[in-house]
Amino acid sequence: MSPDATPDPYANPMAFGQRMQMLRERRGMTRQELAGLLGETQHWVKNLESGRTQAPSVETVYRIAETLRVRDLADLTGRPDMQFDLFIGPGHPRLAAVREAVDSFGLASSQQAPSAAHIAARIRRAWSARHSAPNHREVVGELLPGLIRDAQLAVKQAQAPADWRAAQAVLAEVYSLAQFFLAYQPDSSLLWRAAERSMVAAQQSDDPHTVGVSAWLLTQAHRDSGRSHYDAADAVNRQALALLEPLLADAGNDVLAIAGALQFEAGYTAARRGETATAWRYWDTARSMASRLPEDYFHPVTSFSRAIMGAHAVTVAVELHSGSESVRQAARSEANTIPSRPRRARHRIEQARGYHLDGQPEAAIATLNLAYEAAPETIRYNGYARTIVLEQAESKVTARRRRASELAVKIGLLAA
C-alpha cells in the first residue's frame, strides 16, 4: 500500500471520529488545519474525533470528505451502503480502447508511421474538437487510440535525431491530451502512466514548451493525489519554471502562456495548503503574464489567457474555503468569455462551489445547471459537482430538492 493510500476501514471497524482522525493523519493534516478548512474550531474537530460529539449531518460528512480528499464515502463513514466515489466518475465507454492503446507499444507492428507533422496536425484538430464539443470526452476518446499508436510508431521508426525529437514532442502532447480524457476515470494508475510518459517524451524532445505542458499536468496529478504529494507538485512546478524563466524576455505566446499557467498552478497548490498570501501572489504574477498575451489568445492545452484569470481567481478563493471571496470573484468573472466549452463548464462548477461555501445552495444548483448546458460530460465526471448535487437532492426544501434531483438524473447520479 502506498503511503497516502486510504486504509481498509473494514479491517477493524471503528467509529466515524476514529476514521476521520486516521484519514486526517494519513493526509499529514493537523486538527487546526482541518478545522480552518472546514470553518470550525479545533475543539470541534477534537470532540468529533474522540467521539464526544455524534456523527455529523450528511452535509458536514460531504464537507469533511471533500477537505480530506476521501475517494469513497464508505472509507469515512464505515458504511458499505454509502460506497460512493466522490472524485472518480463512472468509466467512460471508450476507456478500454484508450487503455489498450496506452499499454500497447506496437513493438511487432510493420505499419509505416505517419510523419510527426501529420500527427501534430491531427492533435491540433483534436484540441479544437475538445474545446468545441459538449461531449468532449467522447470526441477525444474516439481519436486517442489512433493518435497514441501512430505517435508511438513515429518515435520507434524515426531515424534522424531531429525527426526523433519531433516525434517525441508529438508523443508527449498525445499523452497530455490523454490525461484530459483520463481525469476522474476509475483507473488512476493509467492516468499516472500517461502523465509520466508525457514528461519522459517531453524531455527527450528538448522542446521547452512541450516540457512545460507535461510539467503542468504532472503538477496537477501530484496535487490531486493528496496532501502528501504537494511537495512533489511544487518541485515539478519550480523545475519547469526555472527552465522557462531565461526564455521569457523574448518568448512567443505559447511559451509565455505555459509559464503563466505554471505560475497559477503554484498558486493553486498554495491555496490547497491554506497559504492565502502565497496563493494570491502567484495568481497576481500569472495575471501579469496573461496581460502580455494578445486579447484573443487562448492556449490550446491549459486554456491560459486573459479571459481565464477571472476563473482562476474563483478557484483560488474556493480552495482557500472563503465563501464570501469566492462569490465576490464569481461576480467579477465572466464565463461567456471562455471559448472552451469544458473549461467554461469547469468554471461554472467552481462558481457553484463558491455559492455552496457561502451558504447559497439555490445559486449553486442554478450554476451547475449552466455547467451542464456548457458541457454535460464535464459535470458528469466532476466530484465536487456530484457532491453538491447529491447533497441538495436530499434537501428539506421541496423546490430545491426537485431541481437538484432533476440535475442528478441528467448527469447519471439518480435513476429517472
Side-chain angles (χ1 to χ4, degrees), residues 389-390 393-394 401 404-416:
V389 171
L390 279 176
E394 296 183 355
R401 182 173 65 248
S405 297
E406 289 171 351
L407 182 55
V409 169
K410 288 193 288 188
I411 64 179
L413 289 176
L414 296 177

Side-chain angles (χ1 to χ4, degrees), residues 123 146 158 235 241 261 289 300 302 359:
I123 296 172
L241 284 170
M289 298 177 78
T302 68

Side-chain angles (χ1 to χ4, degrees), residues 292-310:
R292 294 171 56 186
L293 296 167
E295 189 169 355
D296 60 349
Y297 175 86
F298 193 79
H299 190 265
V301 181
T302 68
S303 298
F304 192 79
S305 58
R306 293 189 186 186
I308 209 68
M309 292 313 301

Side-chain angles (χ1 to χ4, degrees), residues 35-115:
L37 292 173
L38 291 171
E40 303 286 353
T41 66
Q42 186 175 345
H43 185 67
W44 181 88
V45 173
K46 182 178 180 180
N47 282 346
L48 192 55
E49 291 184 344
S50 63
R52 287 194 287 270
T53 299
Q54 289 186 340
S57 65
V58 171
E59 178 182 354
T60 303
V61 169
Y62 281 131
R63 286 171 54 218
I64 294 169
E66 176 182 327
T67 303
L68 292 176
R69 304 290 294 171
V70 174
R71 292 289 179 182
D72 195 318
L73 276 183
D75 292 351
L76 181 59
T77 64
R79 291 177 51 184
D81 60 323
M82 292 187 73
Q83 284 187 328
F84 180 77
D85 196 322
L86 293 170
F87 296 96
I88 297 291
H92 194 278
R94 295 195 180 274
L95 177 61
V98 173
R99 181 191 296 115
E100 181 182 357
V102 171
D103 290 343
S104 175
F105 289 97
L107 298 177
S109 176
S110 59
Q111 177 182 343
Q112 179 64 40
S115 67

Side-chain angles (χ1 to χ4, degrees), residues 164-177:
W164 183 78
R165 288 192 295 273
Q168 292 284 8
V170 296
L171 179 60
E173 189 167 358
V174 168
Y175 280 133
S176 293
L177 178 64

Side-chain angles (χ1 to χ4, degrees), residues 175 179 182 190-200 214 217-218 221:
Y175 280 133
Q179 290 172 71
L182 295 171
L190 185 61
L191 174 64
W192 271 104
R193 288 200 294 283
E196 291 170 348
R197 290 179 188 177
S198 177
M199 177 55 79
V200 170
S214 296
L217 285 160
L218 190 56

Side-chain angles (χ1 to χ4, degrees), residues 228-308:
S228 62
H229 288 249
Y230 289 178
D231 286 348
D234 284 336
V236 172
N237 214 327
R238 283 194 302 269
Q239 291 173 51
L241 284 170
L243 173 69
L244 296 172
E245 182 69 30
L247 310 176
L248 296 183
D250 302 313
N253 290 335
D254 285 353
V255 170
L256 183 61
I258 192 57
L262 286 163
Q263 289 284 351
F264 169 70
E265 289 304 316
Y268 195 155
T269 306
R272 281 274 177 89
R273 293 181 187 272
E275 298 171 350
T276 302
T278 301
W280 286 114
R281 185 175 70 250
Y282 275 117
W283 177 86
D284 197 52
T285 301
R287 182 183 59 175
S288 295
M289 298 177 78
S291 68
R292 294 171 56 186
L293 296 167
E295 189 169 355
D296 60 349
Y297 175 86
F298 193 79
H299 190 265
V301 181
T302 68
S303 298
F304 192 79
S305 58
R306 293 189 186 186
I308 209 68

